[in-house]
Amino acid sequence: MKHFFCNLFFFLSTSIFVLNAQQCPVATPKIAVKDTFYHQYIISDDYRWLEKTQSPEVMEWVKEQDKFSQRALNKSLVRTNARRWIDQYGYYKNKNYHKDGKFFFTYGFYSSVEVPCLFYKSKYNGEFTELVNPNYISKDDVVDIKRYKVSGNSAYLAYQFNRNGSDWAEMKVVNLKNGVHLKDHLTGIKFSNIAWMGDGFFYSTFEQDHQFGETKLQKIYYHQLGQEQSEDELVFHRNNPYLFFEFKVSHDERFLIITEENERAGVTNVFIKDYQATLALGLW
């Protein structure tokens, strides 16, 4: 093992030397953009044009940068034959696990991938089984599981994941009995928790200005399993763009409880919806 780390250090040092020894041929243009804060502080940002990640200029710049990086890395790999001998030390490890519903969950890491997979088991002394491998969701993106929640009857698990570190997330649902994914696929989710009620769950979204736009106008929806996201019920929203919501469902799944935070005003409000009320059903 001592020789392994020595060789690994040599490989990384060689790679860095190769990259530093070559002058990057991809130019990054400077386009000055200036903002004035508090009527006196002028801030210049020469690279704001890179925030428009889907523009032809940025996509071409990224493409050329990637070509240069791959050429340098491939040279290092050929010289050291690194991939072959690093694979000899492949391993698996997992973090501390916790119980949700009737199952135990943990994130497990393989040495050959950069993001963890989600594992589960039904018995404390049982063996973990891989449930969600985010590396299979996309071959082009780095997909990371951000959070998950088990339904009240422990039949399903809804999980959120993002791509390439974005705050914008997506959601999918998996059957805990057989590990099969349902067709449900929700997008445009941001800073949302998950609260199950019956055969569905609550989640929240924000208005999508653009990828780096301001986060405002949060809305809470209810998604029924098996239906399209466009059919989801809008449950709660407010006109103030700077309010943020956290929500949960009571243990008996009777009440939806929403905590509203207004950080600018320093005010917290709590709203409760009774889903078993015989009168005024659906009113707050």
Side-chain angles (χ1 to χ4, degrees):
M1 184 60 70
K2 178 180 179 181
H3 294 293
F4 165 70
F5 286 111
C6 290
N7 290 333
L8 181 58
F9 174 78
F10 174 76
F11 164 67
L12 293 175
S13 300
T14 303
S15 301
I16 294 172
F17 174 79
V18 171
L19 288 174
N20 289 335
Q22 302 181 62
Q23 183 178 2
C24 181
V26 184
T28 304
K30 292 184 178 181
I31 303 176
V33 177
K34 294 184 179 181
D35 291 317
T36 303
F37 295 93
Y38 303 105
H39 306 290
Q40 57 179 321
Y41 300 108
I42 300 176
I43 305 299
S44 180
D45 184 356
D46 295 336
Y47 300 105
R48 186 173 298 180
W49 65 274
L50 288 171
E51 294 182 1
K52 298 179 180 180
T53 57
Q54 302 304 313
S55 69
E57 295 79 10
V58 173
M59 295 179 70
E60 181 63 25
W61 180 85
V62 171
K63 181 180 177 181
E64 293 302 317
Q65 290 281 6
D66 185 62
K67 285 182 180 179
F68 173 76
S69 300
Q70 291 302 321
R71 285 198 301 268
L73 292 173
N74 287 335
K75 288 181 180 179
S76 299
L77 291 172
V78 171
R79 292 176 60 183
T80 60
N81 202 18
R83 282 180 175 157
R84 182 175 298 175
W85 56 261
I86 287 179
D87 286 343
Q88 299 176 17
Y89 300 91
Y91 63 91
Y92 160 80
K93 65 178 180 179
N94 65 278
K95 292 183 176 180
N96 296 331
Y97 54 88
H98 77 281
K99 192 172 188 290
D100 191 354
K102 298 179 180 179
F103 296 92
F104 296 90
F105 296 88
T106 184
Y107 286 114
F109 291 81
Y110 294 108
S111 60
S112 57
V113 297
E114 57 183 302
V115 293
C117 306
L118 182 62
F119 290 76
Y120 78 131
K121 62 182 180 180
S122 59
K123 297 181 180 179
Y124 180 80
N125 295 323
E127 294 291 330
F128 277 109
T129 300
E130 183 181 287
L131 180 64
V132 180
N133 188 334
N135 302 285
Y136 293 144
I137 293 178
S138 172
K139 66 178 181 179
D140 300 319
D141 302 309
V142 177
V143 178
D144 192 13
I145 301 173
K146 304 307 297 180
R147 67 174 64 194
Y148 57 87
K149 184 64 179 176
V150 175
S151 62
N153 58 6
S154 295
Y156 303 100
L157 176 137
Y159 67 93
Q160 286 184 35
F161 61 92
N162 65 8
R163 300 173 187 262
N164 306 317
S166 172
D167 287 333
W168 292 104
E170 304 170 41
M171 289 184 65
K172 288 190 174 185
V173 181
V174 59
N175 188 320
L176 291 174
K177 182 177 181 180
N178 52 28
V180 175
H181 275 75
L182 281 62
K183 69 174 185 178
D184 303 69
H185 183 190
L186 281 60
T187 60
I189 298 168
K190 192 174 187 180
F191 306 148
S192 172
N193 54 310
I194 307 169
W196 282 88
M197 177 179 283
D199 290 331
F201 53 85
F202 298 94
Y203 68 96
S204 66
T205 67
F206 287 89
E207 294 292 323
Q208 297 186 58
D209 182 7
H210 56 82
Q211 187 173 359
F212 298 102
E214 190 174 6
T215 299
K216 57 185 180 180
L217 292 174
Q218 186 177 11
K219 297 179 181 180
I220 300 176
Y221 288 87
Y222 178 78
H223 175 74
Q224 181 73 34
L225 294 183
Q227 72 180 16
E228 297 294 330
Q229 185 177 3
S230 59
E231 302 173 354
D232 290 351
E233 175 191 359
L234 176 59
V235 175
F236 188 84
H237 73 99
R238 304 268 272 173
N239 292 327
N240 188 333
Y242 302 108
L243 299 176
F244 293 92
F245 312 131
E246 287 285 340
F247 48 89
K248 61 182 179 180
V249 173
S250 59
H251 183 71
D252 59 0
E253 297 192 355
R254 175 173 177 174
F255 299 99
L256 171 64
I257 305 166
I258 298 175
T259 302
E260 174 190 272
E261 295 286 348
N262 187 337
E263 295 182 354
R264 295 193 173 192
V267 176
T268 300
N269 295 316
V270 177
F271 299 86
I272 299 177
K273 185 171 184 177
D274 186 353
Y275 276 84
Q276 295 181 14
T278 55
L279 298 176
L281 182 63
L283 298 180
W284 295 92

